[in-house]
Amino acid sequence: DLTGVHSLTDEMLEDLVKFCPRIRRLSIKNCRKVTGKGLMAIAKYLPELTAIDMGGSFNITPSDVIDMVRNHPGTSLGALTEIHASGLGWTDEMIDILMDLVGDHLTGLSIGFSPLITAKVGPIIGKAGKTLTSLGMHFCDCMTIDLSIQLGKLLPNLRVLDIRGANSINSITPMLDARASINGYTIAEDDEDHFPFIFVLARYTSITSSSLVDTRAVHSYDFECIIDGGGLGGGI
């Protein structure tokens, strides 16, 4: 975990990963001197890497991420399963390229703080619908109730969803209804065996406590939603 090491350079990172080839999970989040050169060293020297977080490392671009993923041996093997890359300037087109590379095996994706992505991103992320269990779309202007419904239908295995900052969302009931329909059960079958549980991190949205009471009346067992300072964030 190298989160927030602002002095970390590409050269220092390369020296480190050369001598630690068995690293499987790596965070260089908010390491703002690291560039695409550092990512290529990761691709070269960390063949067993399964998860990387580079969110907030703003000298890394989406193109750098894609080049790293394309060159990493774990991509073709289906072993590179978590990519957390919020705040790097993603567009729908760049996410589409990434999904074409990893969509058949990706389990975790974070693309928060991406003002350029649009509602069209729903079907693109849906390319990982068979495997994706964790999605971070915090502080993305495109995150609306309509998009949450799309994601509910496209990502039946989702277990963690970060929608912090989605001001227009005032209820998660529509998303849970969509999940119910795509998973092949009805609300009348509301019990622990039928409903896949999901953790929703929803601070700074328009969801209120009374809204959650209404949602709980329909979906009794299948969610936890954090709208205040509680909770640990569900691992995002």
Side-chain angles (χ1 to χ4, degrees), residues 71-86:
N71 285 278
H72 193 277
T75 301
S76 61
L77 296 173
L80 184 60
T81 58
E82 293 183 45
I83 299 172
H84 303 292
S86 296

PDB file of all heavy atoms in Angstrom, residues 71-86:
ATOM      1  N   ASN A  71      -0.733  -4.868 -21.800  1.00  0.00           N
ATOM      2  CA  ASN A  71       0.573  -5.506 -21.759  1.00  0.00           C
ATOM      3  C   ASN A  71       0.780  -6.423 -20.559  1.00  0.00           C
ATOM      4  O   ASN A  71       1.789  -7.125 -20.500  1.00  0.00           O
ATOM      5  CB  ASN A  71       1.668  -4.428 -21.761  1.00  0.00           C
ATOM      6  CG  ASN A  71       1.865  -3.785 -23.122  1.00  0.00           C
ATOM      7  OD1 ASN A  71       2.551  -4.327 -23.978  1.00  0.00           O
ATOM      8  ND2 ASN A  71       1.236  -2.637 -23.328  1.00  0.00           N
ATOM      9  N   HIS A  72      -0.152  -6.424 -19.630  1.00  0.00           N
ATOM     10  CA  HIS A  72       0.032  -7.254 -18.445  1.00  0.00           C
ATOM     11  C   HIS A  72      -0.360  -8.702 -18.748  1.00  0.00           C
ATOM     12  O   HIS A  72      -1.422  -8.952 -19.310  1.00  0.00           O
ATOM     13  CB  HIS A  72      -0.806  -6.734 -17.276  1.00  0.00           C
ATOM     14  CG  HIS A  72      -0.422  -7.344 -15.970  1.00  0.00           C
ATOM     15  ND1 HIS A  72      -0.904  -8.568 -15.552  1.00  0.00           N
ATOM     16  CD2 HIS A  72       0.440  -6.924 -15.015  1.00  0.00           C
ATOM     17  CE1 HIS A  72      -0.359  -8.870 -14.385  1.00  0.00           C
ATOM     18  NE2 HIS A  72       0.452  -7.897 -14.032  1.00  0.00           N
ATOM     19  N   PRO A  73       0.467  -9.673 -18.363  1.00  0.00           N
ATOM     20  CA  PRO A  73       0.156 -11.081 -18.664  1.00  0.00           C
ATOM     21  C   PRO A  73      -1.117 -11.569 -17.989  1.00  0.00           C
ATOM     22  O   PRO A  73      -1.767 -12.493 -18.471  1.00  0.00           O
ATOM     23  CB  PRO A  73       1.381 -11.839 -18.134  1.00  0.00           C
ATOM     24  CG  PRO A  73       2.041 -10.911 -17.170  1.00  0.00           C
ATOM     25  CD  PRO A  73       1.773  -9.537 -17.676  1.00  0.00           C
ATOM     26  N   GLY A  74      -1.498 -10.943 -16.879  1.00  0.00           N
ATOM     27  CA  GLY A  74      -2.702 -11.364 -16.185  1.00  0.00           C
ATOM     28  C   GLY A  74      -3.984 -11.074 -16.939  1.00  0.00           C
ATOM     29  O   GLY A  74      -5.027 -11.671 -16.653  1.00  0.00           O
ATOM     30  N   THR A  75      -3.917 -10.180 -17.920  1.00  0.00           N
ATOM     31  CA  THR A  75      -5.116  -9.839 -18.684  1.00  0.00           C
ATOM     32  C   THR A  75      -5.562 -11.017 -19.545  1.00  0.00           C
ATOM     33  O   THR A  75      -6.722 -11.436 -19.498  1.00  0.00           O
ATOM     34  CB  THR A  75      -4.862  -8.597 -19.551  1.00  0.00           C
ATOM     35  OG1 THR A  75      -4.496  -7.496 -18.707  1.00  0.00           O
ATOM     36  CG2 THR A  75      -6.101  -8.225 -20.343  1.00  0.00           C
ATOM     37  N   SER A  76      -4.648 -11.557 -20.301  1.00  0.00           N
ATOM     38  CA  SER A  76      -4.998 -12.685 -21.171  1.00  0.00           C
ATOM     39  C   SER A  76      -5.327 -13.932 -20.375  1.00  0.00           C
ATOM     40  O   SER A  76      -6.084 -14.798 -20.844  1.00  0.00           O
ATOM     41  CB  SER A  76      -3.856 -12.973 -22.153  1.00  0.00           C
ATOM     42  OG  SER A  76      -2.667 -13.311 -21.449  1.00  0.00           O
ATOM     43  N   LEU A  77      -4.790 -14.030 -19.162  1.00  0.00           N
ATOM     44  CA  LEU A  77      -5.061 -15.192 -18.317  1.00  0.00           C
ATOM     45  C   LEU A  77      -6.332 -15.025 -17.493  1.00  0.00           C
ATOM     46  O   LEU A  77      -6.751 -15.951 -16.795  1.00  0.00           O
ATOM     47  CB  LEU A  77      -3.869 -15.433 -17.373  1.00  0.00           C
ATOM     48  CG  LEU A  77      -2.533 -15.798 -18.032  1.00  0.00           C
ATOM     49  CD1 LEU A  77      -1.426 -15.845 -16.987  1.00  0.00           C
ATOM     50  CD2 LEU A  77      -2.640 -17.135 -18.756  1.00  0.00           C
ATOM     51  N   GLY A  78      -6.934 -13.837 -17.538  1.00  0.00           N
ATOM     52  CA  GLY A  78      -8.121 -13.574 -16.735  1.00  0.00           C
ATOM     53  C   GLY A  78      -7.808 -13.400 -15.266  1.00  0.00           C
ATOM     54  O   GLY A  78      -8.687 -13.549 -14.408  1.00  0.00           O
ATOM     55  N   ALA A  79      -6.550 -13.057 -14.938  1.00  0.00           N
ATOM     56  CA  ALA A  79      -6.131 -12.964 -13.548  1.00  0.00           C
ATOM     57  C   ALA A  79      -6.129 -11.537 -13.007  1.00  0.00           C
ATOM     58  O   ALA A  79      -6.192 -11.325 -11.799  1.00  0.00           O
ATOM     59  CB  ALA A  79      -4.730 -13.562 -13.376  1.00  0.00           C
ATOM     60  N   LEU A  80      -6.044 -10.529 -13.871  1.00  0.00           N
ATOM     61  CA  LEU A  80      -6.091  -9.137 -13.443  1.00  0.00           C
ATOM     62  C   LEU A  80      -7.557  -8.745 -13.325  1.00  0.00           C
ATOM     63  O   LEU A  80      -8.218  -8.439 -14.310  1.00  0.00           O
ATOM     64  CB  LEU A  80      -5.366  -8.241 -14.444  1.00  0.00           C
ATOM     65  CG  LEU A  80      -5.246  -6.757 -14.093  1.00  0.00           C
ATOM     66  CD1 LEU A  80      -4.496  -6.564 -12.785  1.00  0.00           C
ATOM     67  CD2 LEU A  80      -4.572  -5.985 -15.218  1.00  0.00           C
ATOM     68  N   THR A  81      -8.077  -8.777 -12.108  1.00  0.00           N
ATOM     69  CA  THR A  81      -9.525  -8.732 -11.926  1.00  0.00           C
ATOM     70  C   THR A  81     -10.055  -7.446 -11.302  1.00  0.00           C
ATOM     71  O   THR A  81     -11.259  -7.228 -11.306  1.00  0.00           O
ATOM     72  CB  THR A  81      -9.989  -9.914 -11.053  1.00  0.00           C
ATOM     73  OG1 THR A  81      -9.312  -9.855  -9.787  1.00  0.00           O
ATOM     74  CG2 THR A  81      -9.685 -11.239 -11.744  1.00  0.00           C
ATOM     75  N   GLU A  82      -9.187  -6.611 -10.728  1.00  0.00           N
ATOM     76  CA  GLU A  82      -9.668  -5.372 -10.111  1.00  0.00           C
ATOM     77  C   GLU A  82      -8.867  -4.180 -10.629  1.00  0.00           C
ATOM     78  O   GLU A  82      -7.628  -4.174 -10.529  1.00  0.00           O
ATOM     79  CB  GLU A  82      -9.540  -5.427  -8.588  1.00  0.00           C
ATOM     80  CG  GLU A  82     -10.440  -6.443  -7.920  1.00  0.00           C
ATOM     81  CD  GLU A  82     -10.308  -6.373  -6.404  1.00  0.00           C
ATOM     82  OE1 GLU A  82     -10.316  -5.230  -5.872  1.00  0.00           O
ATOM     83  OE2 GLU A  82     -10.183  -7.432  -5.772  1.00  0.00           O
ATOM     84  N   ILE A  83      -9.581  -3.185 -11.157  1.00  0.00           N
ATOM     85  CA  ILE A  83      -8.942  -1.973 -11.655  1.00  0.00           C
ATOM     86  C   ILE A  83      -9.681  -0.780 -11.057  1.00  0.00           C
ATOM     87  O   ILE A  83     -10.837  -0.512 -11.404  1.00  0.00           O
ATOM     88  CB  ILE A  83      -8.976  -1.917 -13.194  1.00  0.00           C
ATOM     89  CG1 ILE A  83      -8.206  -3.108 -13.774  1.00  0.00           C
ATOM     90  CG2 ILE A  83      -8.394  -0.590 -13.699  1.00  0.00           C
ATOM     91  CD1 ILE A  83      -8.334  -3.252 -15.273  1.00  0.00           C
ATOM     92  N   HIS A  84      -9.024  -0.099 -10.143  1.00  0.00           N
ATOM     93  CA  HIS A  84      -9.602   1.068  -9.494  1.00  0.00           C
ATOM     94  C   HIS A  84      -8.830   2.288  -9.973  1.00  0.00           C
ATOM     95  O   HIS A  84      -7.643   2.443  -9.661  1.00  0.00           O
ATOM     96  CB  HIS A  84      -9.546   0.901  -7.978  1.00  0.00           C
ATOM     97  CG  HIS A  84     -10.250  -0.343  -7.505  1.00  0.00           C
ATOM     98  ND1 HIS A  84     -11.622  -0.491  -7.591  1.00  0.00           N
ATOM     99  CD2 HIS A  84      -9.779  -1.501  -6.988  1.00  0.00           C
ATOM    100  CE1 HIS A  84     -11.968  -1.677  -7.124  1.00  0.00           C
ATOM    101  NE2 HIS A  84     -10.861  -2.311  -6.754  1.00  0.00           N
ATOM    102  N   ALA A  85      -9.491   3.128 -10.745  1.00  0.00           N
ATOM    103  CA  ALA A  85      -8.793   4.200 -11.468  1.00  0.00           C
ATOM    104  C   ALA A  85      -9.657   5.450 -11.538  1.00  0.00           C
ATOM    105  O   ALA A  85      -9.914   5.990 -12.611  1.00  0.00           O
ATOM    106  CB  ALA A  85      -8.415   3.716 -12.873  1.00  0.00           C
ATOM    107  N   SER A  86     -10.098   5.911 -10.394  1.00  0.00           N
ATOM    108  CA  SER A  86     -10.977   7.079 -10.347  1.00  0.00           C
ATOM    109  C   SER A  86     -10.182   8.373 -10.538  1.00  0.00           C
ATOM    110  O   SER A  86      -8.998   8.456 -10.187  1.00  0.00           O
ATOM    111  CB  SER A  86     -11.712   7.127  -9.008  1.00  0.00           C
ATOM    112  OG  SER A  86     -12.566   6.022  -8.857  1.00  0.00           O
TER     113      SER A  86
END
